[in-house]
Amino acid sequence: MTQQSTLTVTSPPSGGSSRSVSRFLYRRPRLRLAGLLAAPLLWLVVLYLGSLAIMFVAAFWTTDSYTGALVKQPTLANFQTLFRGEVYWVVAARTVGIALAVTVIDMVLAVPIAFMAAKVVRSRKVRYAMVIAVTMPLWAGYLVKGYAMQTMFINNGVIDWMLAPFGLKGPGLGLAAVTLSLAYLWLPYMVLPVYAGLERLPDSLLEASSDLGASAGHTFRSVVLPLLVPSLVAGSIFTFSLTLGDYIMVKIVGGTTQMWANIIYDNVGIANNLPLAAAAALFPVTVIVLYLLAVRRTGALENL
Amino acid sequence: MTFSRRARWILGIISAAVLTFIYFPLLVVLVNSFNTSKVFAWPPTSFTTEWWARAATDESVRSALVTSLKAATGAALIAIVLGSMIAFAVARYRFFGREPVSFLVILPIALPGIVTGIALNSSFNTVLVPLGISFGLFTVILGHATFCIVVVFNNVLARLRRTGTSLEEASMDLGAGPFQTFRDVTFPAVRSALVAGALLAFALSFDEIVVTTFTSGPGIETLPQWIFNNLFRPTQGPIINAVAAALLIAFILPVYLAMRMSDGPSQVTQVGAEP
Amino acid sequence: MLTSRLLKVTVTGVAVVLLAAACGSSSDTSTGASANSTERPAPPAGTAATAVGAGEGTLNLITWPDYADDGTAGTPNTVGPFQTATGCKVNVKVGNSSDEMVTLMKTGQYDGVSASGDASLRLIYGGDVAPVNTDLVPNYKTVSEFLKLKQWNSVNGVAYGIPHGWGANVLAYNSDVVKPAPTSWGAVFDAASPYKGKITAYDSPIYIADAALYLSKTKPDLKITNPYALDDTQFKAAVDLLKTQRPLISSYWASYADEVKAFDAQAAVLGTAWQVNVNAMNADKKVKVSSLVPAEGATGWSDTWMVASKAAHPNCMYKWLDYIVSPKANAGVAEYFGEAPAQTLACKETSDKSFCDTFHALDAAYADSIAYWTTPTKNCLDGRGNICVDYAAWVQAWTEIKG
C-alpha cells in the first residue's frame, strides 16, 4: 500500500532577485569560484607576493653608502659579499645547526606529553586541561618569555642560583642559552600538530600491535612514529622557520652570538642597506620554500 | 586501550617534567612582577605590589592595550573573510592552481617574520606613502591580516572536509537555493571552526612583534611594541612582568572557549605563528 | 606535477644565481667628490623655515633614551611643560643607535631627531633633514660657541641643527671587582686580562673607531690621526684588535638597559659606557660602578636636533628646538643623562652646582679633544684622497668581528 506522497515536485518559487542570482550562479561554478578567489588572491598575490618581489628585486641593487639612497643598477655585488665572506658561512651553518637542535629537542619533549594527553589520559577534562596548559605560554608574549629566559640564564640568575648548592654553574648567556630558549619558545608549535596526529591515530592499531606481541617500545617505533611523520614534519616547519628568522632572542640571551637573521636585521635597520638585507633574506626563504616543497608529499602541510 | 602501570608512570613523570619546564620561566615572570628590584635581580630580596598598581594605572599601557585590541580585531575580521573564502574554494572546487593556492596561503606564516616585515615595509613605502597613506594602524592591520589568513583557512578547510557536501546537496535537492543553503546548512556547520580560527588569529596578532615593527608608524604602539620599548628602559622592567602575568591569566578564557567551540583540542591546534 | 616542476625551476634558478655570484668579479662604485678635496660636496638643496607659525598639535620625534621623558619612573618630565606651553603632543620614538635613527628618519614619518655626528651627515646628504634657520631659535644665541657650525652639524657654513649636548664614551668598571682601577683603554683590549669573559663593548660598527683611537696612541707608526678616517692598513689593524678582543667579551650591549643589566648581574665588570648607564647602575644599588676617561682620550658624541625635510609639523618642531635648549630643559636632560649641556645658561639650572665642571661643559679645549662620532666616508677629507674605508665596509667588518 503506497502512501500518498505529500512531497510533490514543484519548481522553485520564481520570485525575488536573489533567486535569479542564485540560479545564475548555480549554473556557473567557475564564476562562483572566481568570486571566492578574487579577493583573497588579490590580497595574497598582489600585496604579499608583490611585496616579496619588490624586496627581492632590491637584492640586486646597491645603496650609496653615504646618503643611503638606493642605486638601482642591477648587480650581483650583494651575493658576492655573502658568498665570499667566511663569516657568513659560519653564521649560516650555526643558524641551521641551532634550528636542527631546536627541532630535535622539541620533538623529544613534545611526543611524550602529546601521547599522554591523546592516548593515555581518560578524562576529557584532563585532556583539555593538558592541551590548554601547553598552549597557554604562547599567549604570555614572546618578549616577556625571552626576558624571563635572560633572567634564568644570566650570570647569577635563576639557573646559577639553583645549581649553586651543587657547586655547578649554568651555561650563562650564549649558544646553549639560545638553543634552549628557542626550544622552549617553540615547543607548543611542535606539541599541537603531534597531539592532533596522535588523536587521529586509531587506538585499534595500538591494540593490534600489542596483541601481536610487540612491546611498548616496539609498537612506538614501528607503528606510532611512522604515522606521526606528517605531524612531526608539520611541527618542524615551524621550529625551523621560526629559528631561521629569529633575531631578537639571540640578542637577549645570546651573549656575543649572532644568527643569520641578525645579519638581515643589522643590514636593513642599522646599515640601511636594504639590498644586502634582501639578499641575505633569500637564504632562509630559499631553505624554507625548498623544505615546504619537499615535504608536501608527507602530507605535513595539511597538518599545519 | 590500556597501558601498563609502568608506562603510565613513566609518561606521567615525563609529562610533568615537560610542563614544569614550560611553566617555570613563567613563574619567574610572575615572581619578578612582585620583585622590588627594578632589574629582575634574582633571587628577589623583597616584594611589592607597586608594579601591579602602576601597570593598572599607566596611561601608555592602556593605550597600547587598546591599539593591540583594535589591530587584532581588524586583522581577525579580514582573516575570517579571506580565509574562509579560500577554504571554500579549495574544499569545494577542483581548479587549476589549487595546490599552489594552498601553498601560497601558508607562506606568510612559514616564512620568517622579518622577511614578511621588510617586504611589506618596502612595498608600503613604494606604493602607499606616495598616495598619502602613512604608516599607522592601517598598515599594521594589513600586515597582521596577511599571516592570520592561514589560521582561519586551516580550521575552516578541515571542517569543510569533514562535513562533506552531502548535506548541502540534500538541501538543494529539497529546493533551497545556494544562498539559503549557505545560510541554513553550511554556515552553522563551519561557524564554530570560524570562531576558533578567529580567536586564534586574534591571539596571533595580539602577540606579534616582528612584522609590527616594520609596518607600524609614529604614535602607534601595540602592546608588544610597548613591552619592547620599555624593556630598553631599565626603570620600567617590572611593570612589564605584571602586564605579562595579567595577559597570561586573561587569555585562559578565550583559549578554553576556542577549544570548546571547535571540535576539541585538535581543532584549536591548527595554529601557526611567529613571535 | 605543477609544483614539482616549480621546485625544479626554483632550484635551477637559485643554483644559477649562486654560481654566477661566486664566479663573478666585483664591481666598483665610485663616489662623486674629487680625489684630494678637503671640501664637502654640496648636499641636496633644502630650505630652512622662514617663520614659526602656530603649533600643529602633534610632534613626532626620534630621540636617544631619556632625551624626551615624561616624568614616569623617576625620569625628568621634559615633554610635560612643552606640551602645556605649546599644545604640541609629543610622540617619542627611542632609537638605540645612530643607524636605527637614520633608518627611521628615512621613513619620512618623523618631524625631528636628536642626531649624533655619525647620523647627522648621512641625514644631510640623504636629503632627510633641512637646514635650520637659527634666527628662529632664540635660545641658540647662548649655546656654547664651540658647538656651532661644526663639521657634523653644518655644511659649507649652513647650519643643519641645534646642538643639544655632548659627552664622551667613558670606561666604566665595577669598583669592587676591578682593582686596581684601570687608567687606560688597554684594560678592555688586553688579551691576558684577568677579567676575560666579563668585558663588554658597544654593539655598533662605530665602535671600530674606539679601537682606532687606542691604536693611534699605542701604535704611532700606523699614523692614525682621525679614528673615523682610516685607510685599509689602519682599518685592518683596528679590526684585528677587535677580533682579539672578541674572546674577552661577555656580550655586546646594544641598548643601555642591556649594559645596566649586565653590570648589575656582574656578567660584565668592565667596558665602554655612556654616563647615563653608569648613573642607572649606581641607582640600582646592586653594584658600585665608577667611570673615567682614560689617558688615550675617548670617542664621544655631540648630538644635534635636526628638522626633517618633509616634516609634517614644522612649527611644533621649531618650538621644540627652542624649548629643548632653554636653560631649564637642557639642564634637566643633561643632568639625568650625564652629558654636557649645549646651553651655557643651563649650568645655573642643574641641581648639582658642580655638574658643568665635572662634565667640562664650558671647556672648549676639552670638548675638542673628544673624537666625536662621525660617518666614515671614502673621502678621507684630510688630503689623502678617496682611500679611506666607508661605512658600509665598517658594517661588514663588524659582522665579521662578532663572528
Side-chain angles (χ1 to χ4, degrees), chain C residues 110-150:
Chain C
Y110 296 90
D111 302 305
V113 59
S114 62
S116 298
D118 59 334
S120 49
L121 285 175
R122 281 191 275 165
L123 291 170
I124 295 175
Y125 280 95
D128 301 307
V129 295
V132 168
N133 184 344
T134 53
D135 294 333
L136 299 176
V137 183
N139 283 314
Y140 182 74
K141 292 192 197 57
T142 40
V143 160
S144 299
E145 284 306 314
F146 55 80
L147 294 172
K148 294 183 185 172
L149 294 176
K150 301 298 286 189

mmCIF file of all heavy atoms in Angstrom, chain C residues 110-150:
data_model
loop_
_atom_site.group_PDB
_atom_site.id
_atom_site.type_symbol
_atom_site.label_atom_id
_atom_site.label_comp_id
_atom_site.label_asym_id
_atom_site.label_seq_id
_atom_site.Cartn_x
_atom_site.Cartn_y
_atom_site.Cartn_z
ATOM 1 N N TYR C 110 58.685 61.203 10.699
ATOM 2 C CA TYR C 110 59.020 61.934 11.909
ATOM 3 C C TYR C 110 59.385 63.372 11.597
ATOM 4 O O TYR C 110 59.809 63.689 10.490
ATOM 5 C CB TYR C 110 60.189 61.231 12.635
ATOM 6 C CG TYR C 110 59.799 59.861 13.106
ATOM 7 C CD1 TYR C 110 59.991 58.756 12.287
ATOM 8 C CD2 TYR C 110 59.200 59.673 14.347
ATOM 9 C CE1 TYR C 110 59.593 57.498 12.699
ATOM 10 C CE2 TYR C 110 58.816 58.423 14.764
ATOM 11 C CZ TYR C 110 59.010 57.338 13.939
ATOM 12 O OH TYR C 110 58.613 56.099 14.357
ATOM 13 N N ASP C 111 59.201 64.245 12.606
ATOM 14 C CA ASP C 111 59.464 65.661 12.382
ATOM 15 C C ASP C 111 60.884 66.047 12.741
ATOM 16 O O ASP C 111 61.401 67.040 12.238
ATOM 17 C CB ASP C 111 58.508 66.507 13.240
ATOM 18 C CG ASP C 111 57.063 66.195 12.924
ATOM 19 O OD1 ASP C 111 56.716 66.304 11.736
ATOM 20 O OD2 ASP C 111 56.306 65.848 13.842
ATOM 21 N N GLY C 112 61.500 65.289 13.638
ATOM 22 C CA GLY C 112 62.841 65.683 14.052
ATOM 23 C C GLY C 112 63.552 64.561 14.765
ATOM 24 O O GLY C 112 62.958 63.549 15.136
ATOM 25 N N VAL C 113 64.854 64.752 14.941
ATOM 26 C CA VAL C 113 65.680 63.700 15.528
ATOM 27 C C VAL C 113 66.848 64.329 16.277
ATOM 28 O O VAL C 113 67.331 65.395 15.922
ATOM 29 C CB VAL C 113 66.197 62.767 14.407
ATOM 30 C CG1 VAL C 113 67.016 63.533 13.392
ATOM 31 C CG2 VAL C 113 67.012 61.630 14.963
ATOM 32 N N SER C 114 67.269 63.646 17.361
ATOM 33 C CA SER C 114 68.465 64.101 18.063
ATOM 34 C C SER C 114 69.621 63.282 17.512
ATOM 35 O O SER C 114 69.910 62.196 17.985
ATOM 36 C CB SER C 114 68.327 63.869 19.568
ATOM 37 O OG SER C 114 68.187 62.492 19.853
ATOM 38 N N ALA C 115 70.270 63.802 16.493
ATOM 39 C CA ALA C 115 71.245 63.009 15.749
ATOM 40 C C ALA C 115 72.654 63.212 16.270
ATOM 41 O O ALA C 115 73.099 64.327 16.519
ATOM 42 C CB ALA C 115 71.183 63.375 14.266
ATOM 43 N N SER C 116 73.374 62.104 16.422
ATOM 44 C CA SER C 116 74.793 62.213 16.718
ATOM 45 C C SER C 116 75.540 62.418 15.417
ATOM 46 O O SER C 116 74.976 62.292 14.342
ATOM 47 C CB SER C 116 75.292 60.940 17.402
ATOM 48 O OG SER C 116 74.640 60.749 18.611
ATOM 49 N N GLY C 117 76.828 62.703 15.549
ATOM 50 C CA GLY C 117 77.603 63.048 14.366
ATOM 51 C C GLY C 117 77.695 61.964 13.322
ATOM 52 O O GLY C 117 77.933 62.235 12.157
ATOM 53 N N ASP C 118 77.482 60.690 13.722
ATOM 54 C CA ASP C 118 77.579 59.654 12.694
ATOM 55 C C ASP C 118 76.248 59.420 12.019
ATOM 56 O O ASP C 118 76.129 58.583 11.152
ATOM 57 C CB ASP C 118 78.140 58.356 13.284
ATOM 58 C CG ASP C 118 77.269 57.852 14.406
ATOM 59 O OD1 ASP C 118 76.585 58.660 15.047
ATOM 60 O OD2 ASP C 118 77.293 56.636 14.651
ATOM 61 N N ALA C 119 75.240 60.171 12.438
ATOM 62 C CA ALA C 119 73.959 60.092 11.735
ATOM 63 C C ALA C 119 73.705 61.373 10.973
ATOM 64 O O ALA C 119 73.131 61.358 9.883
ATOM 65 C CB ALA C 119 72.830 59.850 12.721
ATOM 66 N N SER C 120 74.148 62.499 11.567
ATOM 67 C CA SER C 120 73.753 63.801 11.033
ATOM 68 C C SER C 120 74.177 63.998 9.584
ATOM 69 O O SER C 120 73.382 64.429 8.751
ATOM 70 C CB SER C 120 74.308 64.928 11.902
ATOM 71 O OG SER C 120 75.688 64.734 12.138
ATOM 72 N N LEU C 121 75.438 63.636 9.258
ATOM 73 C CA LEU C 121 75.868 63.885 7.891
ATOM 74 C C LEU C 121 75.137 62.986 6.910
ATOM 75 O O LEU C 121 74.812 63.396 5.792
ATOM 76 C CB LEU C 121 77.385 63.695 7.780
ATOM 77 C CG LEU C 121 78.160 64.865 8.384
ATOM 78 C CD1 LEU C 121 79.643 64.607 8.370
ATOM 79 C CD2 LEU C 121 77.839 66.144 7.630
ATOM 80 N N ARG C 122 74.857 61.758 7.325
ATOM 81 C CA ARG C 122 74.122 60.862 6.430
ATOM 82 C C ARG C 122 72.739 61.416 6.158
ATOM 83 O O ARG C 122 72.207 61.313 5.051
ATOM 84 C CB ARG C 122 74.014 59.463 7.049
ATOM 85 C CG ARG C 122 75.275 58.669 6.899
ATOM 86 C CD ARG C 122 75.044 57.239 7.276
ATOM 87 N NE ARG C 122 75.176 57.001 8.692
ATOM 88 C CZ ARG C 122 74.745 55.897 9.301
ATOM 89 N NH1 ARG C 122 74.141 54.968 8.616
ATOM 90 N NH2 ARG C 122 74.922 55.738 10.592
ATOM 91 N N LEU C 123 72.152 62.031 7.197
ATOM 92 C CA LEU C 123 70.819 62.587 7.023
ATOM 93 C C LEU C 123 70.871 63.809 6.106
ATOM 94 O O LEU C 123 70.002 64.000 5.257
ATOM 95 C CB LEU C 123 70.241 62.987 8.386
ATOM 96 C CG LEU C 123 69.917 61.807 9.311
ATOM 97 C CD1 LEU C 123 69.590 62.307 10.701
ATOM 98 C CD2 LEU C 123 68.751 61.018 8.742
ATOM 99 N N ILE C 124 71.923 64.617 6.279
ATOM 100 C CA ILE C 124 72.031 65.826 5.451
ATOM 101 C C ILE C 124 72.190 65.424 3.986
ATOM 102 O O ILE C 124 71.465 65.902 3.112
ATOM 103 C CB ILE C 124 73.224 66.701 5.898
ATOM 104 C CG1 ILE C 124 72.991 67.236 7.309
ATOM 105 C CG2 ILE C 124 73.422 67.855 4.919
ATOM 106 C CD1 ILE C 124 74.161 68.008 7.870
ATOM 107 N N TYR C 125 73.124 64.514 3.739
ATOM 108 C CA TYR C 125 73.381 64.142 2.350
ATOM 109 C C TYR C 125 72.304 63.257 1.764
ATOM 110 O O TYR C 125 72.176 63.158 0.556
ATOM 111 C CB TYR C 125 74.767 63.481 2.238
ATOM 112 C CG TYR C 125 75.850 64.531 2.213
ATOM 113 C CD1 TYR C 125 76.501 64.908 3.371
ATOM 114 C CD2 TYR C 125 76.151 65.190 1.030
ATOM 115 C CE1 TYR C 125 77.449 65.905 3.355
ATOM 116 C CE2 TYR C 125 77.097 66.190 1.004
ATOM 117 C CZ TYR C 125 77.747 66.547 2.175
ATOM 118 O OH TYR C 125 78.682 67.535 2.144
ATOM 119 N N GLY C 126 71.521 62.645 2.627
ATOM 120 C CA GLY C 126 70.412 61.849 2.112
ATOM 121 C C GLY C 126 69.195 62.699 1.830
ATOM 122 O O GLY C 126 68.192 62.205 1.341
ATOM 123 N N GLY C 127 69.284 63.982 2.145
ATOM 124 C CA GLY C 127 68.146 64.851 1.908
ATOM 125 C C GLY C 127 67.030 64.648 2.921
ATOM 126 O O GLY C 127 65.894 65.066 2.710
ATOM 127 N N ASP C 128 67.331 63.994 4.038
ATOM 128 C CA ASP C 128 66.275 63.715 5.019
ATOM 129 C C ASP C 128 66.067 64.855 5.999
ATOM 130 O O ASP C 128 65.046 64.887 6.686
ATOM 131 C CB ASP C 128 66.625 62.435 5.799
ATOM 132 C CG ASP C 128 66.788 61.246 4.875
ATOM 133 O OD1 ASP C 128 65.870 60.996 4.091
ATOM 134 O OD2 ASP C 128 67.844 60.592 4.938
ATOM 135 N N VAL C 129 67.031 65.751 6.111
ATOM 136 C CA VAL C 129 66.869 66.898 7.011
ATOM 137 C C VAL C 129 67.099 68.185 6.247
ATOM 138 O O VAL C 129 67.791 68.234 5.239
ATOM 139 C CB VAL C 129 67.834 66.830 8.219
ATOM 140 C CG1 VAL C 129 67.502 65.649 9.098
ATOM 141 C CG2 VAL C 129 69.261 66.803 7.757
ATOM 142 N N ALA C 130 66.478 69.239 6.746
ATOM 143 C CA ALA C 130 66.564 70.548 6.090
ATOM 144 C C ALA C 130 67.475 71.457 6.905
ATOM 145 O O ALA C 130 67.677 71.249 8.089
ATOM 146 C CB ALA C 130 65.172 71.151 5.994
ATOM 147 N N PRO C 131 68.032 72.500 6.266
ATOM 148 C CA PRO C 131 68.798 73.478 7.042
ATOM 149 C C PRO C 131 67.897 74.115 8.088
ATOM 150 O O PRO C 131 66.668 74.179 7.927
ATOM 151 C CB PRO C 131 69.232 74.513 5.991
ATOM 152 C CG PRO C 131 69.066 73.856 4.681
ATOM 153 C CD PRO C 131 67.982 72.839 4.839
ATOM 154 N N VAL C 132 68.516 74.566 9.165
ATOM 155 C CA VAL C 132 67.753 75.170 10.245
ATOM 156 C C VAL C 132 68.017 76.666 10.276
ATOM 157 O O VAL C 132 69.170 77.106 10.211
ATOM 158 C CB VAL C 132 68.150 74.528 11.600
ATOM 159 C CG1 VAL C 132 67.595 75.320 12.757
ATOM 160 C CG2 VAL C 132 67.649 73.099 11.647
ATOM 161 N N ASN C 133 66.946 77.416 10.374
ATOM 162 C CA ASN C 133 67.088 78.864 10.480
ATOM 163 C C ASN C 133 67.296 79.192 11.959
ATOM 164 O O ASN C 133 66.342 79.254 12.735
ATOM 165 C CB ASN C 133 65.812 79.525 9.937
ATOM 166 C CG ASN C 133 65.926 81.031 9.930
ATOM 167 O OD1 ASN C 133 66.801 81.612 10.572
ATOM 168 N ND2 ASN C 133 65.035 81.673 9.201
ATOM 169 N N THR C 134 68.551 79.400 12.351
ATOM 170 C CA THR C 134 68.849 79.557 13.781
ATOM 171 C C THR C 134 68.284 80.860 14.342
ATOM 172 O O THR C 134 68.144 81.015 15.557
ATOM 173 C CB THR C 134 70.368 79.516 14.034
ATOM 174 O OG1 THR C 134 71.009 80.466 13.181
ATOM 175 C CG2 THR C 134 70.911 78.136 13.745
ATOM 176 N N ASP C 135 67.930 81.808 13.476
ATOM 177 C CA ASP C 135 67.326 83.039 13.990
ATOM 178 C C ASP C 135 65.972 82.768 14.619
ATOM 179 O O ASP C 135 65.487 83.542 15.451
ATOM 180 C CB ASP C 135 67.149 84.063 12.855
ATOM 181 C CG ASP C 135 68.490 84.536 12.327
ATOM 182 O OD1 ASP C 135 69.465 84.494 13.116
ATOM 183 O OD2 ASP C 135 68.567 84.913 11.150
ATOM 184 N N LEU C 136 65.334 81.675 14.196
ATOM 185 C CA LEU C 136 64.011 81.356 14.736
ATOM 186 C C LEU C 136 64.106 80.643 16.085
ATOM 187 O O LEU C 136 63.085 80.286 16.673
ATOM 188 C CB LEU C 136 63.249 80.457 13.747
ATOM 189 C CG LEU C 136 62.994 81.076 12.373
ATOM 190 C CD1 LEU C 136 62.329 80.057 11.460
ATOM 191 C CD2 LEU C 136 62.131 82.315 12.503
ATOM 192 N N VAL C 137 65.336 80.420 16.552
ATOM 193 C CA VAL C 137 65.520 79.711 17.826
ATOM 194 C C VAL C 137 66.252 80.639 18.783
ATOM 195 O O VAL C 137 67.482 80.640 18.831
ATOM 196 C CB VAL C 137 66.317 78.410 17.613
ATOM 197 C CG1 VAL C 137 66.443 77.629 18.918
ATOM 198 C CG2 VAL C 137 65.648 77.554 16.555
ATOM 199 N N PRO C 138 65.531 81.448 19.553
ATOM 200 C CA PRO C 138 66.171 82.469 20.398
ATOM 201 C C PRO C 138 67.227 81.911 21.338
ATOM 202 O O PRO C 138 68.270 82.527 21.530
ATOM 203 C CB PRO C 138 64.995 83.048 21.201
ATOM 204 C CG PRO C 138 63.790 82.762 20.385
ATOM 205 C CD PRO C 138 64.051 81.506 19.641
ATOM 206 N N ASN C 139 66.987 80.741 21.906
ATOM 207 C CA ASN C 139 67.941 80.200 22.875
ATOM 208 C C ASN C 139 69.253 79.763 22.237
ATOM 209 O O ASN C 139 70.210 79.454 22.943
ATOM 210 C CB ASN C 139 67.315 79.000 23.610
ATOM 211 C CG ASN C 139 66.336 79.460 24.676
ATOM 212 O OD1 ASN C 139 66.639 80.365 25.442
ATOM 213 N ND2 ASN C 139 65.162 78.852 24.701
ATOM 214 N N TYR C 140 69.293 79.743 20.894
ATOM 215 C CA TYR C 140 70.525 79.336 20.213
ATOM 216 C C TYR C 140 71.663 80.312 20.492
ATOM 217 O O TYR C 140 72.840 79.947 20.476
ATOM 218 C CB TYR C 140 70.238 79.242 18.708
ATOM 219 C CG TYR C 140 71.396 78.787 17.854
ATOM 220 C CD1 TYR C 140 71.806 77.456 17.845
ATOM 221 C CD2 TYR C 140 72.082 79.699 17.043
ATOM 222 C CE1 TYR C 140 72.853 77.035 17.049
ATOM 223 C CE2 TYR C 140 73.135 79.279 16.239
ATOM 224 C CZ TYR C 140 73.521 77.955 16.246
ATOM 225 O OH TYR C 140 74.561 77.543 15.454
ATOM 226 N N LYS C 141 71.283 81.578 20.752
ATOM 227 C CA LYS C 141 72.333 82.578 20.918
ATOM 228 C C LYS C 141 73.272 82.212 22.061
ATOM 229 O O LYS C 141 74.472 82.482 22.003
ATOM 230 C CB LYS C 141 71.711 83.960 21.205
ATOM 231 C CG LYS C 141 70.954 84.532 20.031
ATOM 232 C CD LYS C 141 70.615 86.013 20.277
ATOM 233 C CE LYS C 141 69.519 86.499 19.329
ATOM 234 N NZ LYS C 141 68.283 85.708 19.408
ATOM 235 N N THR C 142 72.706 81.614 23.134
ATOM 236 C CA THR C 142 73.545 81.337 24.301
ATOM 237 C C THR C 142 74.064 79.907 24.349
ATOM 238 O O THR C 142 74.518 79.436 25.368
ATOM 239 C CB THR C 142 72.762 81.641 25.596
ATOM 240 O OG1 THR C 142 71.416 81.194 25.415
ATOM 241 C CG2 THR C 142 72.773 83.127 25.874
ATOM 242 N N VAL C 143 73.994 79.222 23.227
ATOM 243 C CA VAL C 143 74.573 77.875 23.155
ATOM 244 C C VAL C 143 76.089 78.014 23.029
ATOM 245 O O VAL C 143 76.588 78.969 22.446
ATOM 246 C CB VAL C 143 73.984 77.129 21.937
ATOM 247 C CG1 VAL C 143 74.853 75.959 21.519
ATOM 248 C CG2 VAL C 143 72.569 76.680 22.234
ATOM 249 N N SER C 144 76.821 77.060 23.570
ATOM 250 C CA SER C 144 78.284 77.119 23.514
ATOM 251 C C SER C 144 78.772 77.363 22.097
ATOM 252 O O SER C 144 78.370 76.679 21.168
ATOM 253 C CB SER C 144 78.884 75.796 24.015
ATOM 254 O OG SER C 144 78.515 75.547 25.331
ATOM 255 N N GLU C 145 79.647 78.343 21.943
ATOM 256 C CA GLU C 145 80.124 78.706 20.609
ATOM 257 C C GLU C 145 80.862 77.568 19.927
ATOM 258 O O GLU C 145 80.819 77.406 18.715
ATOM 259 C CB GLU C 145 81.056 79.924 20.694
ATOM 260 C CG GLU C 145 80.341 81.242 20.916
ATOM 261 C CD GLU C 145 79.264 81.497 19.880
ATOM 262 O OE1 GLU C 145 79.523 81.306 18.659
ATOM 263 O OE2 GLU C 145 78.134 81.862 20.261
ATOM 264 N N PHE C 146 81.569 76.748 20.756
ATOM 265 C CA PHE C 146 82.385 75.704 20.123
ATOM 266 C C PHE C 146 81.548 74.550 19.576
ATOM 267 O O PHE C 146 82.055 73.575 19.068
ATOM 268 C CB PHE C 146 83.451 75.163 21.080
ATOM 269 C CG PHE C 146 82.915 74.648 22.395
ATOM 270 C CD1 PHE C 146 82.345 73.376 22.492
ATOM 271 C CD2 PHE C 146 82.987 75.429 23.541
ATOM 272 C CE1 PHE C 146 81.870 72.904 23.703
ATOM 273 C CE2 PHE C 146 82.521 74.965 24.750
ATOM 274 C CZ PHE C 146 81.956 73.704 24.843
ATOM 275 N N LEU C 147 80.218 74.671 19.702
ATOM 276 C CA LEU C 147 79.363 73.635 19.126
ATOM 277 C C LEU C 147 78.676 74.111 17.851
ATOM 278 O O LEU C 147 78.008 73.333 17.176
ATOM 279 C CB LEU C 147 78.292 73.212 20.133
ATOM 280 C CG LEU C 147 78.799 72.505 21.384
ATOM 281 C CD1 LEU C 147 77.662 72.315 22.374
ATOM 282 C CD2 LEU C 147 79.410 71.164 21.029
ATOM 283 N N LYS C 148 78.823 75.389 17.548
ATOM 284 C CA LYS C 148 78.074 75.927 16.419
ATOM 285 C C LYS C 148 78.820 75.745 15.116
ATOM 286 O O LYS C 148 80.028 75.942 15.042
ATOM 287 C CB LYS C 148 77.807 77.426 16.631
ATOM 288 C CG LYS C 148 76.893 77.691 17.806
ATOM 289 C CD LYS C 148 76.599 79.186 17.938
ATOM 290 C CE LYS C 148 75.793 79.441 19.199
ATOM 291 N NZ LYS C 148 75.644 80.875 19.470
ATOM 292 N N LEU C 149 78.101 75.410 14.102
ATOM 293 C CA LEU C 149 78.633 75.295 12.742
ATOM 294 C C LEU C 149 79.887 74.425 12.711
ATOM 295 O O LEU C 149 80.918 74.798 12.176
ATOM 296 C CB LEU C 149 78.940 76.689 12.171
ATOM 297 C CG LEU C 149 77.689 77.544 11.953
ATOM 298 C CD1 LEU C 149 78.071 78.939 11.486
ATOM 299 C CD2 LEU C 149 76.777 76.898 10.926
ATOM 300 N N LYS C 150 79.766 73.245 13.301
ATOM 301 C CA LYS C 150 80.880 72.307 13.259
ATOM 302 C C LYS C 150 80.704 71.390 12.066
ATOM 303 O O LYS C 150 79.675 71.408 11.389
ATOM 304 C CB LYS C 150 80.901 71.478 14.560
ATOM 305 C CG LYS C 150 81.034 72.294 15.805
ATOM 306 C CD LYS C 150 82.310 73.072 15.852
ATOM 307 C CE LYS C 150 83.507 72.215 16.147
ATOM 308 N NZ LYS C 150 84.711 73.025 16.400
#
